[in-house]
């Protein structure tokens, strides 16, 4: 349910989402009651969506259903999902090989944003979903991608970054972080030893474009109770193999 403090676009999507979930056109009064918002507010939102073709009023009725523009957008969404399916399939194969959760992420402002993630079958795992954002300095992907930035870009980003402590292993000193990033650049992969969540480790390798620039990262996550750091590192070569494939096959998506 959207709240009064939500952005306008979220309120608009909440109306669309409700109609889609109900699977039928709905009256303004039904929308207002279900969303817990004033009828006049819903009316204004629905009229704007109707004007732009995202909703359409049924002829002779005061019920609103999906409009032609939204239907066309749905086709594009399906096409998008089909294009992403090979990457998801490859990521699932990787998880099948290494036996642990893997994800792809990229820098997004002052954080890492997950683009894709496939969970392992084990019940003990840290569940984060595509679209989730995690800190740069306390994750394998974050440290990895920081290390491959130009010195100028890295300093600019770190100067505006609060090195928050999440566990006793989190690096919160800028000089210590720079030392760690130098090691990562030299060896070509990053290790997260319980720096974001207690009991969770990860290793991350870069996904590079045709020019060799690290545009994203591929990481394996596992509970320390099941996989030690040494065991995780034994899977680096497999991760690098898949990262190379992702760089070739999905470069257009990540640049």
């Amino acid at each position: 349910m959207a709240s009064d403090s939500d952005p306008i676009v979220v309120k608009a999507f909440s109306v669309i989402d409700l109609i889609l979930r109900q699977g039928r056109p709905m009256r303004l009064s039904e929308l207002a009651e279900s969303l817990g918002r004033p009828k006049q507010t819903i009316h204004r939102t629905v009229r704007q969506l109707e004007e732009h073709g995202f909703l359409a009023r049924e002829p002779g009725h005061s019920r609103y259903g999906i409009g032609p523009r939204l239907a066309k957008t749905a086709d594009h969404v399906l096409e998008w999902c089909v294009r992403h399916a090979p990457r998801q399939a490859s990521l699932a194969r990787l998880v099948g090989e290494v036996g642990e959760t893997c994800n792809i992420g990229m820098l997004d402002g002052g954080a890492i944003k997950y683009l894709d993630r496939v969970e392992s079958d084990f019940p003990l795992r840290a569940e984060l979903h595509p679209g989730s954002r995690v800190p740069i300095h306390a994750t394998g992907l974050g440290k990895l991608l920081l290390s491959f930035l130009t010195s100028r870009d890295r300093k600019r980003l770190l100067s505006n970054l609060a090195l928050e402590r999440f566990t006793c292993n989190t690096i919160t000193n800028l000089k210590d972080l720079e030392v760690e990033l130098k090691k990562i650049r030299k060896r070509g992969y990053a290790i997260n030893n319980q720096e974001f969540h207690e009991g969770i480790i990860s290793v991350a390798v870069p996904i590079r474009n045709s020019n060799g620039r690290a545009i994203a990262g591929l990481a394996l996550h596992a509970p320390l109770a099941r996989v030690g750091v040494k065991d995780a590192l034994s899977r680096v070569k497999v991760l690098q193999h898949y990262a190379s494939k992702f760089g070739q096959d999905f470069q257009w998506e990540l640049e």
Side-chain angles (χ1 to χ4, degrees), residues 192-194 197 199-203 220-224 227-229 232:
N192 169 13
N193 187 5
Q194 306 181 79
H197 292 118
I200 299 293
I201 65 169
S202 72
V203 291
L220 173 152
H221 297 257
L224 186 60
V227 178
V229 173

Side-chain angles (χ1 to χ4, degrees), residues 140 143-148 154 171 174-192 195 204-206 208 233 236 240:
K143 293 188 299 179
L144 176 83
L145 295 177
L146 269 177
S147 74
F148 287 109
R154 185 169 59 255
I171 300 175
L174 192 56
K175 289 184 178 180
D176 292 341
L177 182 57
E178 285 285 7
V179 170
E180 173 73 0
L181 298 180
K182 185 176 181 180
K183 293 178 181 178
I184 292 170
R185 284 195 300 274
K186 184 176 181 179
R187 68 190 178 212
Y189 60 84
I191 303 168
N192 169 13
E195 295 164 47
V205 300
R208 302 179 184 274
L233 291 177
V236 165
Q240 290 172 331

Side-chain angles (χ1 to χ4, degrees), residues 8 38 45 64 79 95 111 128 162 178 183 207 216 247:
I8 294 174
T45 300
Y64 291 84
E79 291 174 7
V95 171
L128 292 166
E178 285 285 7
K183 293 178 181 178
I207 296 174

Side-chain angles (χ1 to χ4, degrees), residues 28-119:
L28 292 175
S29 57
E30 292 180 289
L31 292 167
E33 182 178 355
S34 297
L35 295 172
R37 288 157 52 191
K39 187 175 178 179
Q40 61 183 18
T41 302
I42 291 293
H43 182 263
R44 183 166 57 251
T45 300
V46 167
R47 285 295 302 274
Q48 290 173 341
L49 290 170
E50 183 185 15
E51 288 174 7
H52 292 279
F54 292 107
L55 292 181
R57 186 169 59 174
E58 286 193 323
H61 298 278
S62 58
R63 294 177 300 191
Y64 291 84
I66 300 307
R69 187 171 179 183
L70 186 59
K72 188 174 182 180
T73 299
D75 290 339
H76 294 319
V77 170
L78 288 174
E79 291 174 7
W80 177 271
C81 291
V82 169
R83 290 200 301 267
H84 278 66
R87 188 172 75 191
Q88 270 284 311
S90 292
L91 203 56
R93 282 197 299 272
L94 171 59
V95 171
E97 285 189 40
V98 300
E100 299 296 340
T101 296
C102 293
N103 62 265
I104 296 172
M106 64 185 300
L107 283 173
D108 182 27
I112 290 293
K113 181 178 180 180
Y114 288 156
L115 300 179
D116 268 317
R117 184 176 173 97
V118 174
E119 300 282 351

Side-chain angles (χ1 to χ4, degrees), residues 161-179:
L161 191 67
L163 301 183
E164 181 182 352
R165 181 176 295 282
F166 296 97
T167 73
C168 61
N169 286 354
T170 306
I171 300 175
T172 58
N173 180 279
L174 192 56
K175 289 184 178 180
D176 292 341
L177 182 57
E178 285 285 7
V179 170

Side-chain angles (χ1 to χ4, degrees), residues 209-240:
N209 65 8
S210 58
N211 296 322
R213 182 170 63 88
I215 53 178
L218 172 65
L220 173 152
H221 297 257
L224 186 60
R226 189 167 64 236
V227 178
V229 173
K230 186 176 180 180
D231 291 333
L233 291 177
S234 70
R235 297 164 166 89
V236 165
K237 287 188 177 180
V238 178
L239 291 174
Q240 290 172 331

